[in-house]
Amino acid sequence: MFIAGNWKMNGTVAEAEALAQALVDGLPEGAPATAVFPPALHLGAVGKVLEGSKIFMGGQDCSGAEKGAHTGDISVSMLADMGARGVIVGHSERRTDHGESDADVLAKVKAGLSAGLGVVLCVGETLEERDSGRAEAVVREQLGGSLPTDFPAGSVVIAYEPVWAIGTGKVATLSDIAAMHGMIRSWLQDNRPEIAKTFILYGGSVKASNAAEIFATDEVGGALVGGASLKSDDFLGIIAAAM
Ligand code: 13P
């Protein structure tokens, strides 16, 4: 299992440090692989708190370009330089807020891999796409458009986050989660065998109270958690549910 907390655009440096410290202090022996994705400006401070702990840290996004004239963007080498070991790419909030296409996301996946970062690739359909019966086709298209055809094994994790379940309190049904994760697994086996065994995370309103049943669902390898990762007790509760 792999439990990841996406802190999104929240908090101050002091709050990020306190949250990271509470996770370091509270992480139980034998916890699953755990990662946090603080705002880029907080990576340096959080990295210091996490030093020597078992908690990985990553960035929430990266540029697809190596360096240069890209005002406001953050390169993968900058993330690595701040101690990040991974990066989230293709989050639906990036696709919506910044108009990122699958081709943009592909460039980011390649950039992350080239810097030796573990990449968490987010895919997921909107409510309209689900209601029109296109959920699986949309996710297949995102996978095909944003996963390179050559990469080192084990370096990409997939996060299935139905857009309508993010931050809404609505969770996909367990049978919908199982169906989508099963589809993703078989798509990987057929199309990207190098990462066929990678973790497939579920994301979208995961909480300590619903995590156990989600983790017991076929092909769920953990969670990408937003809101509930901002409180240490809630996030530690999700980690406990994975043990
Ligand atoms: P919530 O857990 O707040 O629904 O967010 C999920 C998410 O977008 C994680 O990347």
Side-chain angles (χ1 to χ4, degrees):
M1 285 268 170
F2 178 52
I3 312 299
N6 175 7
W7 294 358
K8 306 192 180 181
M9 193 173 73
N10 289 294
T12 61
V13 173
E15 284 164 350
E17 286 172 330
L19 177 53
Q21 189 63 56
L23 296 178
V24 170
D25 295 343
L27 195 76
E29 196 63 38
T34 301
V36 294
F37 295 83
L41 288 173
H42 300 170
L43 286 170
V46 170
K48 285 204 181 82
V49 176
L50 297 180
E51 228 166 60
S53 81
K54 290 192 173 147
I55 303 174
F56 299 90
M57 183 182 74
Q60 297 175 10
D61 177 50
C62 63
S63 173
E66 196 186 327
K67 64 175 181 173
H70 302 282
T71 301
D73 282 353
I74 296 169
S75 72
V76 287
S77 59
M78 290 171 180
L79 289 177
D81 194 35
M82 293 300 272
R85 296 177 59 190
V87 64
I88 296 172
V89 300
H91 194 283
S92 64
E93 288 151 14
R94 300 286 320 169
R95 294 178 190 261
T96 304
D97 296 354
H98 300 274
E100 289 184 8
S101 65
D102 287 341
D104 297 327
V105 177
L106 173 64
K108 291 172 186 231
V109 174
K110 285 183 175 170
L113 293 175
S114 73
L117 298 179
V119 172
V120 179
L121 169 67
C122 301
V123 294
E125 81 287 356
T126 63
L127 190 55
E128 193 199 346
E129 288 162 345
R130 173 156 291 272
D131 286 348
S132 61
R134 292 190 294 128
E136 293 199 0
V138 165
V139 169
R140 268 196 298 273
E141 196 175 316
Q142 290 171 336
L143 291 169
S146 38
L147 279 173
T149 45
D150 54 334
F151 39 76
S155 48
V156 178
V157 167
I158 309 295
Y160 168 56
E161 298 202 310
V163 177
W164 47 273
I166 295 176
T168 58
K170 289 183 197 152
V171 184
T173 65
L174 298 178
S175 67
D176 284 345
I177 295 174
M180 187 62 85
H181 281 233
M183 187 286 287
I184 293 171
R185 179 71 68 207
S186 55
W187 190 93
L188 292 174
Q189 284 162 348
D190 293 344
N191 297 281
R192 299 293 189 276
E194 302 94 323
I195 57 162
K197 292 192 171 139
T198 196
F199 290 123
I200 304 174
L201 313 181
Y202 171 78
S205 299
V206 176
K207 303 186 279 278
S209 57
N210 62 19
E213 58 181 18
I214 292 171
F215 295 154
T217 302
D218 277 354
E219 298 295 356
V220 174
L224 182 55
V225 184
S229 71
L230 292 171
K231 291 204 181 114
S232 57
D233 285 351
D234 292 351
F235 194 55
L236 290 166
I238 292 169
I239 290 168
M243 297 176 66

